[in-house]
Amino acid sequence: MTFANGTRLPRILPGPMEGVTAGAWLKILTRRQWVNAWWTPFLRISIGVPRRSRLAAWLAPYLATGLPVIAQIMGEDAARLAETARRLRELGAVAIDLNCACPSPVVVRNHSGGERLRHPEWIATTLRAMKQAMGEAPVGVKLRVGYESPDEFATCIAPAVREARPDFVTVHFRTVRERYEPIADGLDRLSRARHALSGLTVIGSGDLFTPQDAIAMHERCGVDAVAPARGMLANPRLLVDVAQALRGEMPTPFTLQEKASLLGEFVVHSPRHFQLQIAANLYGKNSPEFNAFLKK
Ligand SMILES: Cc1cc2nc3c(=O)[nH]c(=O)nc-3n(C[C@H](O)[C@H](O)[C@H](O)COP(=O)(O)O)c2cc1C
């Protein structure tokens, strides 16, 4: 994807994951060249605009990878968000993304993340303020298809977003109320959302666990890019596999030996709880390999 100011971002992006997209995850996946850009989890802006030094420290591990970084922010105060966006841009983020999607009860109670979908006019105002603060640099917004119901998208959310003309819009096909529940018609919803955002760059999100899922999303929804998230935990090489599949190539199998070697790196570079999370996802919680790892 190439934006008005010449910024380029890959069409297969690692969806941000709070608690995962940090530390060893960044270092190991970057070293293995399994991602071509990083997207930070949200930084919540509440009582004031963070000082430059704090923002610099927060951004540092992402910038240290040498890859383009999309910085994500969330909050309720448009002016503070716009000023934070400007500072993050100056500090080296290539694009800034406004999170209006997070369904966490704490975030929603604080009128942030997915709660913002109840105020589409606020989303438009905030995106305009961010664009003004950031000059030509790309501004994005992360959405779910509604707060209570997917019907909100075409009637309320998309018209406001279209009017603000962000450079990219990420759509996760669940509503905030649905959190991570299984849903049957995700691709239909995303397809309708893509249609309602015609003329804008749309990144698809939701249940991208395999390369086939990404192909289906591309074919059925006509999105410009995809951002798998949880699927990367079971297969941290998923973005490479998706790229191969989209080129029509067979994915290379991820062998037990390769999994063990990858886990070995996490053992050296991350705390035990994160090692266990990685091992459970790589092998499956009921696998002999995970049980053996538990006993180590
Ligand atoms: C543990 C976890 C943390 C997440 N943190 C963020 C976040 O900080 N910002 C964001 O935009 N999305 C976040 N997400 C949502 C994912 O980026 C993605 O939109 C969602 O999981 C659906 O995609 P998937 O089904 O491929 O995982 C998070 C998801 C998970 C599971």
Side-chain angles (χ1 to χ4, degrees):
M1 295 182 289
T2 306
F3 297 95
N5 72 340
T7 296
R8 295 183 66 155
L9 284 172
R11 299 168 82 93
I12 309 165
L13 286 154
M17 281 186 286
E18 169 70 11
V20 175
T21 316
W25 184 257
L26 301 177
K27 287 190 193 137
I28 294 171
L29 271 64
T30 303
R31 196 161 49 228
R32 289 177 175 245
Q33 300 185 320
W34 287 349
V35 294
N36 296 319
W38 284 111
W39 195 333
T40 74
F42 61 79
L43 177 69
R44 198 159 79 78
I45 306 305
S46 52
I47 48 171
V49 179
R51 279 205 293 269
R52 273 181 76 87
S53 55
R54 192 180 151 228
L55 294 174
W58 176 73
L59 207 51
Y62 303 94
L63 295 178
T65 65
L67 295 174
V69 175
I70 307 172
Q72 189 182 73
I73 53 179
M74 66 156 65
E76 193 188 358
D77 185 302
R80 283 180 200 149
L81 287 162
E83 176 58 16
T84 306
R86 191 180 67 75
R87 291 184 190 181
L88 287 168
R89 168 73 190 128
E90 279 174 11
L91 288 164
V94 299
I96 312 293
D97 187 36
L98 176 67
N99 182 315
C100 300
C102 179
S104 139
V106 178
V107 166
V108 166
R109 257 201 311 280
N110 282 304
H111 309 288
S112 287
E115 198 275 341
R116 296 288 84 197
L117 294 175
R118 299 169 102 171
H119 309 280
E121 73 300 336
W122 176 92
I123 298 178
T125 306
T126 306
L127 288 174
R128 276 197 298 269
M130 286 168 65
K131 279 177 79 162
Q132 203 172 4
M134 286 175 54
E136 293 283 289
V139 171
V141 61
K142 169 88 176 267
L143 305 170
R144 286 187 173 226
V145 291
Y147 188 84
E148 301 279 355
S149 151
D151 297 339
E152 294 160 30
F153 201 83
T155 50
C156 309
I157 299 169
V161 170
R162 260 202 327 265
E163 190 224 314
R165 297 210 64 75
D167 299 278
F168 59 99
V169 183
T170 310
V171 183
H172 176 181
F173 56 50
R174 290 182 177 81
T175 64
V176 173
R177 283 270 188 244
E178 288 165 344
R179 299 190 58 157
Y180 284 91
E181 282 167 22
I183 58 160
D185 60 343
L187 293 187
D188 293 336
R189 291 176 180 194
L190 186 57
S191 179
R192 286 198 294 274
R194 154 76 283 180
H195 187 69
L197 295 171
S198 65
L200 295 181
T201 295
V202 174
I203 303 174
S205 165
D207 297 355
L208 291 168
F209 297 111
T210 65
Q212 290 70 34
D213 295 334
I215 290 175
M217 186 179 278
H218 259 292
E219 285 179 355
R220 292 209 20 216
C221 309
V223 289
D224 301 281
V226 288
R230 290 169 299 168
M232 290 181 72
L233 287 166
N235 176 8
R237 212 187 48 191
L238 180 59
L239 303 195
V240 175
D241 290 353
V242 168
Q244 279 182 333
L246 288 172
R247 289 195 301 266
E249 296 164 18
M250 291 290 285
T252 329
F254 199 22
T255 62
L256 274 179
Q257 205 180 1
E258 283 165 327
K259 289 182 184 183
S261 141
L262 178 65
L263 187 56
E265 285 198 55
F266 281 100
V267 167
V268 175
H269 296 290
S270 62
R272 179 74 177 158
H273 70 87
F274 195 62
Q275 297 167 23
L276 289 171
Q277 187 182 353
I278 296 290
N281 279 285
L282 274 180
Y283 295 126
K285 270 195 174 140
N286 297 320
S287 64
E289 289 81 10
F290 179 62
N291 278 302
F293 185 74
L294 265 182
K295 290 184 193 119
K296 275 189 188 164

